[in-house]
Each structure stands twice: as structure tokens, then as C-alpha cells.
């Protein structure tokens, strides 16, 4: 309720399958975590299948950073700076209608240069890309990407990469958990935590503005 970010699970798994992710979410549910209003994750199908299994009522938002990287992979390196500029305009559009318009501009740019796969990659799973517009604008910086997970893991990987490998997965899990507990003390809090109660209560937002307020055209 005060905007603090906390680690709730560190679990080892052989792969990111629907079954593995369902086990993680089922454990969280059984330990008392109620259905979240919104789940933010990358494009891996395992997590989305698991969310539908355990918390079908939760909204879903895909990470824009991962989406941009996936699209750029379909564009020659010489054209990636131009593509990145266009994609950032889509990513940071102030309204959903503007995001749709900027997406169409990128598609036209890509199609005209023969990068059809890039245009298709951006369009794929589009509904999950624009869920954020149904949430407060003050929270967009937190829910647009999975940086909340990626940032602490960047420092963690320096330690685990140096160790090369662990003989036992439970020891690796213990080390990773302890490092995340240390990192957690430095996590940045969510902006506008006073809006969290409204979000969880299901208050409707349109383009980041509470629906009871006047929404600018």
C-alpha cells in the first residue's frame, strides 16, 4: 500500500514452461497472495499460460523493452537507429490512439523497406502491449517494462557468472535469494502509491486518467 517493491519468490526450474510457472504462481496463491490486478512480464508463453491457469482475472502487460529488441532483431543493423526512434514513439505515446497511429507509421516504414517480419513482430500480441493505458499515468514508468526484475538481476548476474556454476541448485537459490534481499532495500518505490488502492478496487482509467475525470481528447 505504500509503494514498496518486494521479492515474493525465488524458485529454480528446468525451463520456463506453463507447468513450471503455474507451480510458482500456485505456491504464491497458497501462501496467501491474492490475485494481482496486473501482471507484467516478457513475451515468454509459459508465464502467460500460467497466469490464465491461476489468476485468469488478472490483466496482462507485456514488456516494451523486450518487444522493441525483438522487432529490432528483424531489421538490418544499419537501419536499427531509425527503427528504434520510431519504436520509441510507439512505446511512449501519451494515449492508446496515438500508440495505434505510431504503430501504423512504423508498419508503413517497415513494409516500404521490405521488413515485413519486423512489422508483424510489433503487431503480434498487441492487446497486451497497450494494457498500461487502463492504469494511472503515474504508474506507467513502472509497468511499461520488466525493469523492476531486470535491474536487480543485472548486479546478481555478475556474482553468479563469476561462480561459473553451482554444484547444487538449492545452494544457488539460497545465494540468489540473499542477494535479492540485500538489493530489495534499495528498490525504488512506486510513484503515487495513494492510487494503488483505487487500482486494486477496480477504478477504471482511460489513457491514464481516472474515468470519472475529464479525459483530454
Amino acid at each position: 500500500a505504500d509503494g514498496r517493491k518486494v521479492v515474493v519468490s525465488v524458485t529454480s526450474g528446468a525451463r520456463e514452461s506453463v507447468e513450471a510457472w503455474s507451480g510458482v504462481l500456485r505456491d504464491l496463491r497458497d501462501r496467501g497472495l491474492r490475485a494481482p490486478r496486473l501482471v507484467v512480464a516478457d513475451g515468454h508463453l509459459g508465464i502467460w499460460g500460467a497466469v490464465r491457469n491461476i489468476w485468469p482475472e488478472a490483466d496482462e502487460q507485456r514488456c516494451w523493452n523486450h518487444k522493441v529488441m525483438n522487432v529490432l532483431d528483424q531489421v538490418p543493423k544499419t537501419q536499427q537507429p531509425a527503427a528504434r526512434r520510431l519504436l520509441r514513439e510507439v512505446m511512449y505515446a501519451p494515449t492508446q490512439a496515438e500508440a495505434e497511429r505510431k504503430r501504423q507509421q512504423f508498419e508503413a516504414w517497415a513494409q516500404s523497406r521490405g521488413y515485413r517480419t519486423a512489422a508483424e513482430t510489433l503487431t503480434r500480441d498487441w492487446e497486451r502491449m497497450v494494457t498500461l493505458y487502463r492504469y494511472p499515468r503515474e504508474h506507467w514508468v513502472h509497468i511499461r517494462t520488466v525493469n523492476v526484475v531486470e535491474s536487480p538481476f543485472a548486479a546478481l548476474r555478475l556474482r553468479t557468472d563469476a561462480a561459473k556454476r553451482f554444484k547444487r541448485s538449492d545452494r544457488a537459490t539460497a545465494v540468489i535469494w540473499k542477494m535479492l534481499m540485500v538489493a530489495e532495500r534499495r528498490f525504488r518505490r512506486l510513484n503515487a502509491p495513494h492510487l494503488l488502492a483505487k487500482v486494486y478496487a477496480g477504478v477504471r482509467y482511460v489513457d491514464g486518467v481516472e474515468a470519472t475525470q475529464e479525459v483530454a481528447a
Side-chain angles (χ1 to χ4, degrees):
D2 62 0
R4 283 180 298 133
K5 300 171 184 174
V6 297
V7 178
V8 293
S9 180
V10 176
T11 307
S12 63
R15 57 195 180 94
E16 292 191 63
S17 64
V18 173
E19 293 76 14
W21 269 113
S22 293
V24 174
L25 301 187
R26 193 176 294 112
D27 172 65
L28 291 174
R29 181 198 63 192
D30 294 345
R31 288 195 280 125
L33 183 64
R34 290 176 291 179
R37 179 62 60 187
L38 176 69
V39 176
V40 186
D42 61 19
H44 200 286
L45 296 178
I47 181 65
W48 301 121
V51 169
R52 286 192 294 271
N53 284 344
I54 310 302
W55 290 313
E57 64 270 46
D59 286 344
E60 302 172 353
Q61 170 68 44
R62 272 194 61 175
C63 173
W64 266 102
N65 281 347
H66 282 81
K67 171 65 79 171
V68 168
M69 296 306 298
N70 291 340
V71 175
L72 291 177
D73 285 343
Q74 308 303 322
V75 177
K77 286 187 177 181
T78 56
Q79 295 296 313
Q80 286 186 5
R84 188 185 297 275
R85 285 193 296 272
L86 292 171
L87 290 169
R88 285 181 65 84
E89 290 181 0
V90 183
M91 178 177 176
Y92 291 106
T95 66
Q96 184 170 344
E98 183 69 4
E100 300 276 358
R101 189 174 71 83
K102 293 295 184 180
R103 186 198 74 183
Q104 293 171 3
Q105 289 181 359
F106 177 84
E107 289 173 342
W109 177 88
Q111 296 281 9
S112 68
R113 289 161 175 76
Y115 311 142
R116 180 173 57 85
T117 305
E120 292 174 350
T121 301
L122 177 59
T123 304
R124 189 180 306 124
D125 211 13
W126 179 252
E127 287 304 312
R128 283 198 185 111
M129 303 308 304
V130 294
T131 304
L132 64 93
Y133 291 105
R134 303 203 299 270
Y135 286 82
R137 187 168 297 173
E138 293 88 343
H139 294 171
W140 288 359
V141 65
H142 305 290
I143 64 178
R144 188 182 278 116
T145 72
V146 292
N147 282 354
V148 62
V149 175
E150 298 288 350
S151 295
F153 265 88
L156 188 150
R157 288 191 186 98
L158 294 176
R159 300 286 186 89
T160 54
D161 288 350
K164 301 299 182 184
R165 68 186 182 90
F166 293 86
K167 292 183 178 180
R168 289 172 45 181
S169 63
D170 60 334
R171 290 178 180 175
T173 302
V175 170
I176 291 169
W177 175 263
K178 182 60 177 178
M179 292 175 63
L180 286 174
M181 290 299 95
V182 173
E184 184 184 87
R185 297 198 293 265
R186 301 189 301 272
F187 286 174
R188 173 186 171 187
R189 297 193 183 203
L190 268 69
N191 294 342
H194 63 282
L195 296 176
L196 290 172
K198 287 186 175 183
V199 168
Y200 199 75
V203 172
R204 183 168 171 261
Y205 287 80
V206 178
D207 288 333
V209 179
E210 190 174 337
T212 56
Q213 301 175 11
E214 183 178 354
V215 179

